[in-house]
Amino acid sequence: MKNNKQKKSVEQPPSLLMAIVNDLLIRHWLVSGLALLLVISSMQLAKTSHQARKLTAEFQKLRKTEQDQQVAFESLRLELTTLSEADRISSLAKKELGMVEVTTKNEKVISL
């Protein structure tokens, strides 16, 4: 009888953790696998959405920079046109009207 009592005291009842692991991983392995795949898929979707938002923000920033550069370019082109127009008028005046640049030798003062 003592041997019988010693065997009973040596045997430990199964732990709750081992019972849960046994139940989830061995008996219901398909459900556990699907749950794991669902979690991984959700994490990947969140990562992809975050990257898409970052890229959209960067795209908007680049678009704004491009618009600012376009405005600056058009402003400089207008300034160039204005300067070339004055140069064109000056060259026409010299060619067609015979005007010359004023120097100290050919300067004339008219007083009334």
Side-chain angles (χ1 to χ4, degrees), residues 9 13 22-25 32-33 38 44 49-50 58 60 65 73 76 78 81-82 85 89 94 96 105 111:
S9 64
N22 186 26
D23 190 41
L24 286 178
L25 295 180
S32 298
L38 179 70
Q44 187 64 30
S49 297
H50 179 67
E58 185 178 344
Q60 294 296 329
T65 303
F73 174 73
L76 289 173
L78 178 63
T81 304
T82 303
E85 186 69 24
I89 291 172
K94 287 178 186 176
E96 293 184 12
K105 292 181 181 177
S111 62

Side-chain angles (χ1 to χ4, degrees), residues 4 6-7 18-19 23-24 27 29 31 37 39-40 47-48 51 55 58 63 65-67 71 73 93 97-98 100 110:
N4 214 4
Q6 286 178 350
K7 284 184 182 180
M18 288 305 293
D23 190 41
L24 286 178
R27 288 187 186 166
W29 62 271
V31 174
L37 287 175
V39 169
I40 291 171
K47 180 182 175 185
T48 304
Q51 287 176 342
L55 290 174
E58 185 178 344
R63 180 180 279 175
T65 303
E66 190 260 340
Q67 287 174 347
V71 167
F73 174 73
L97 300 176
V100 294
I110 300 174

Side-chain angles (χ1 to χ4, degrees), residues 7 15 23 25 33-34 36 40 48-50 52-53 56 68 80 90 107-108:
K7 284 184 182 180
S15 69
D23 190 41
L25 295 180
L34 289 175
L36 182 64
I40 291 171
T48 304
S49 297
H50 179 67
R53 282 189 209 105
T56 302
D68 292 343
L80 179 65
S90 177
E107 181 179 359
K108 295 182 182 174

